[in-house]
Amino acid sequence: MSLSSLRTLAFINGIFLITLAVSMLVPVGTLLVFEQTRGINAFLWSSLITFIAGIALVAQGRPQEGQLRPRDMYMLTVSSWVMVSIFAALPFIFAEHASITDAYFESMSGITATGATIFTGLDSMSPGTLIWRSLLHWLGGIGFIAMAVAILPMLRIGGMRLFQTESSDRSDKVMPRSHMVAKYMVVAYVGLSGLAVLGFWLAGMGAFDAVNHAMSAIATGGFSTSDASLGKWQQPAVHWVAVVVMILGSLPFVLYVATLRGNYRALLRDEQVRGFIKVLLISWLALASWYTLTTELHWLEALRLVAVNITSVMTTTGFALGDYHLWGPFASMIFFYLGFVGGCSGSTAGGLKIFRFQVAYILLKANLKQLVHPRAVIKQNYNRHRLDEDIARSILAFSFFFTITIAVLALALTLCGLDWITALTGAAATVSGVGPGMGPIIGPAGNYAGLPEIAKWLLTIGMLLGRLEILTVLVLLFPAFWRH
């Protein structure tokens, strides 16, 4: 990697750190509003340290060559997520006296919108810390959207080429200028966040809780202001608002851009969106019917409980309404499976993404037809795009490494002394970005605080790999990457 590239990466990372330092003033303002002085110095010192580090990186001046090569973009993506998580951990160390391991685990979970936590006693926790956790989700959510649109397509793993609306496209871009795409995405993200705050507030949450849960839900993160998560609020309206916001955060943001530009049917015409909603609704109806038959709950009450928890798991948000682990083996297995599905490509959600399942089904159907009619020429299209060999290869590679990553991580966790349920579901929950695992330790009613330190570091790596879609990180380990 050239000196010029390193200077450019340092400059951009410096900008990120300065932005993070300014963001740390939000908890300071929150504490002043709540008339609490404890913790203000912790955030001020964290902001100052982060700001100085950022200034040190940008002090050399803006690089002359602004164009980054694809290999530079991969390095930038990984380095920025790691570096931001390091400095984002400072408030947890200074304000909550968390260990370095716990603080980095929490910050990585926040910035990757995973939602796995080591904190308890959230109901009485400092409002500064609570808003910082939620803010990390919000910042990480918009960061991942930008990465999914600008960087992942270079590695041919993001799938964004399949989800553009033809009525407003030139080539495969939503708009001809990338900075205009970014502008519209920020408008969509901020607008949806504002609507989410309003929705939670009108549904019965206090203003502070509404802001926190809005940032967490639109980023499909899952951090809450209560140990009981959404179970603290008994108003059904709060739960249904959460469902709507989680779904909105799981849809492709390039389609919101198309909608803002006048293509109002962009979301309705997209095959991935339709498939995502279809799987979600079928899962709601099936599990709600089963839950009604096995309990004395009214069907509508069962539907509400099921809708919140299934949407939370499938969108990889991680909110919980009660302990669904206690619903029995059948329900637990359904939740475990849905955690792999995830949301749409180009959204804030994690998981495998729904389009990979759809494309895999199309390829399977075509292969079966080919067996019956060996000489036939079978067209394979998805979302008005032809499925070429590149797409099939990328889906196979990503799905393989996604599965292998979970398998290896789970095996490593058992060497740390964890039982197989905690190890397997913990690995799957962090790589997929769901947050809570299964079982009494890390399930929806528990957290990751009691795990060994080495296990927390392994799971932190899992969060990073999962959020950056694995191949973005693995490409840095490929020897050819470092050759000029």
PDB file of all heavy atoms in Angstrom, residues 111-123:
ATOM      1  N   ILE A 111     -21.738   0.134  17.572  1.00  0.00           N
ATOM      2  CA  ILE A 111     -21.425   0.694  16.260  1.00  0.00           C
ATOM      3  C   ILE A 111     -21.761  -0.273  15.131  1.00  0.00           C
ATOM      4  O   ILE A 111     -22.042   0.131  14.002  1.00  0.00           O
ATOM      5  CB  ILE A 111     -19.938   1.114  16.199  1.00  0.00           C
ATOM      6  CG1 ILE A 111     -19.730   2.228  15.160  1.00  0.00           C
ATOM      7  CG2 ILE A 111     -19.033  -0.058  15.920  1.00  0.00           C
ATOM      8  CD1 ILE A 111     -20.295   3.557  15.585  1.00  0.00           C
ATOM      9  N   THR A 112     -21.754  -1.581  15.422  1.00  0.00           N
ATOM     10  CA  THR A 112     -22.153  -2.566  14.411  1.00  0.00           C
ATOM     11  C   THR A 112     -23.646  -2.859  14.466  1.00  0.00           C
ATOM     12  O   THR A 112     -24.144  -3.698  13.707  1.00  0.00           O
ATOM     13  CB  THR A 112     -21.384  -3.891  14.585  1.00  0.00           C
ATOM     14  OG1 THR A 112     -21.634  -4.414  15.902  1.00  0.00           O
ATOM     15  CG2 THR A 112     -19.887  -3.695  14.390  1.00  0.00           C
ATOM     16  N   ALA A 113     -24.363  -2.175  15.372  1.00  0.00           N
ATOM     17  CA  ALA A 113     -25.814  -2.360  15.531  1.00  0.00           C
ATOM     18  C   ALA A 113     -26.168  -3.811  15.829  1.00  0.00           C
ATOM     19  O   ALA A 113     -27.182  -4.318  15.361  1.00  0.00           O
ATOM     20  CB  ALA A 113     -26.564  -1.861  14.297  1.00  0.00           C
ATOM     21  N   THR A 114     -25.306  -4.467  16.609  1.00  0.00           N
ATOM     22  CA  THR A 114     -25.584  -5.854  16.998  1.00  0.00           C
ATOM     23  C   THR A 114     -26.567  -5.903  18.161  1.00  0.00           C
ATOM     24  O   THR A 114     -27.536  -6.665  18.141  1.00  0.00           O
ATOM     25  CB  THR A 114     -24.277  -6.573  17.387  1.00  0.00           C
ATOM     26  OG1 THR A 114     -23.383  -6.532  16.282  1.00  0.00           O
ATOM     27  CG2 THR A 114     -24.548  -8.025  17.759  1.00  0.00           C
ATOM     28  N   GLY A 115     -26.317  -5.123  19.204  1.00  0.00           N
ATOM     29  CA  GLY A 115     -27.261  -5.062  20.326  1.00  0.00           C
ATOM     30  C   GLY A 115     -26.969  -6.015  21.454  1.00  0.00           C
ATOM     31  O   GLY A 115     -27.729  -6.078  22.419  1.00  0.00           O
ATOM     32  N   ALA A 116     -25.882  -6.792  21.364  1.00  0.00           N
ATOM     33  CA  ALA A 116     -25.472  -7.633  22.494  1.00  0.00           C
ATOM     34  C   ALA A 116     -24.871  -6.722  23.562  1.00  0.00           C
ATOM     35  O   ALA A 116     -24.087  -5.837  23.240  1.00  0.00           O
ATOM     36  CB  ALA A 116     -24.440  -8.667  22.040  1.00  0.00           C
ATOM     37  N   THR A 117     -25.241  -6.919  24.822  1.00  0.00           N
ATOM     38  CA  THR A 117     -24.790  -6.000  25.855  1.00  0.00           C
ATOM     39  C   THR A 117     -24.204  -6.719  27.062  1.00  0.00           C
ATOM     40  O   THR A 117     -24.531  -7.879  27.319  1.00  0.00           O
ATOM     41  CB  THR A 117     -25.949  -5.088  26.324  1.00  0.00           C
ATOM     42  OG1 THR A 117     -25.455  -4.135  27.266  1.00  0.00           O
ATOM     43  CG2 THR A 117     -27.057  -5.911  26.973  1.00  0.00           C
ATOM     44  N   ILE A 118     -23.336  -6.020  27.775  1.00  0.00           N
ATOM     45  CA  ILE A 118     -22.776  -6.543  29.026  1.00  0.00           C
ATOM     46  C   ILE A 118     -23.324  -5.760  30.220  1.00  0.00           C
ATOM     47  O   ILE A 118     -23.003  -6.058  31.359  1.00  0.00           O
ATOM     48  CB  ILE A 118     -21.228  -6.495  29.022  1.00  0.00           C
ATOM     49  CG1 ILE A 118     -20.714  -5.111  28.612  1.00  0.00           C
ATOM     50  CG2 ILE A 118     -20.669  -7.540  28.072  1.00  0.00           C
ATOM     51  CD1 ILE A 118     -20.537  -4.144  29.710  1.00  0.00           C
ATOM     52  N   PHE A 119     -24.167  -4.751  29.944  1.00  0.00           N
ATOM     53  CA  PHE A 119     -24.672  -3.900  31.018  1.00  0.00           C
ATOM     54  C   PHE A 119     -25.988  -4.418  31.589  1.00  0.00           C
ATOM     55  O   PHE A 119     -26.848  -4.903  30.846  1.00  0.00           O
ATOM     56  CB  PHE A 119     -24.874  -2.463  30.527  1.00  0.00           C
ATOM     57  CG  PHE A 119     -23.597  -1.695  30.363  1.00  0.00           C
ATOM     58  CD1 PHE A 119     -23.368  -0.939  29.220  1.00  0.00           C
ATOM     59  CD2 PHE A 119     -22.622  -1.720  31.342  1.00  0.00           C
ATOM     60  CE1 PHE A 119     -22.192  -0.227  29.055  1.00  0.00           C
ATOM     61  CE2 PHE A 119     -21.434  -1.016  31.193  1.00  0.00           C
ATOM     62  CZ  PHE A 119     -21.221  -0.263  30.050  1.00  0.00           C
ATOM     63  N   THR A 120     -26.134  -4.283  32.896  1.00  0.00           N
ATOM     64  CA  THR A 120     -27.405  -4.537  33.580  1.00  0.00           C
ATOM     65  C   THR A 120     -27.769  -3.275  34.359  1.00  0.00           C
ATOM     66  O   THR A 120     -26.964  -2.352  34.476  1.00  0.00           O
ATOM     67  CB  THR A 120     -27.298  -5.727  34.542  1.00  0.00           C
ATOM     68  OG1 THR A 120     -26.218  -5.497  35.467  1.00  0.00           O
ATOM     69  CG2 THR A 120     -27.042  -7.020  33.795  1.00  0.00           C
ATOM     70  N   GLY A 121     -28.980  -3.250  34.903  1.00  0.00           N
ATOM     71  CA  GLY A 121     -29.411  -2.071  35.643  1.00  0.00           C
ATOM     72  C   GLY A 121     -29.642  -0.873  34.747  1.00  0.00           C
ATOM     73  O   GLY A 121     -29.383   0.272  35.137  1.00  0.00           O
ATOM     74  N   LEU A 122     -30.132  -1.109  33.540  1.00  0.00           N
ATOM     75  CA  LEU A 122     -30.339  -0.020  32.584  1.00  0.00           C
ATOM     76  C   LEU A 122     -31.378   0.983  33.068  1.00  0.00           C
ATOM     77  O   LEU A 122     -31.289   2.173  32.758  1.00  0.00           O
ATOM     78  CB  LEU A 122     -30.771  -0.592  31.229  1.00  0.00           C
ATOM     79  CG  LEU A 122     -29.782  -1.539  30.526  1.00  0.00           C
ATOM     80  CD1 LEU A 122     -30.384  -2.066  29.232  1.00  0.00           C
ATOM     81  CD2 LEU A 122     -28.460  -0.822  30.250  1.00  0.00           C
ATOM     82  N   ASP A 123     -32.361   0.520  33.832  1.00  0.00           N
ATOM     83  CA  ASP A 123     -33.438   1.403  34.290  1.00  0.00           C
ATOM     84  C   ASP A 123     -32.915   2.522  35.180  1.00  0.00           C
ATOM     85  O   ASP A 123     -33.524   3.596  35.254  1.00  0.00           O
ATOM     86  CB  ASP A 123     -34.500   0.590  35.028  1.00  0.00           C
ATOM     87  CG  ASP A 123     -35.136  -0.461  34.136  1.00  0.00           C
ATOM     88  OD1 ASP A 123     -34.559  -1.563  34.010  1.00  0.00           O
ATOM     89  OD2 ASP A 123     -36.193  -0.188  33.547  1.00  0.00           O
TER      90      ASP A 123
END
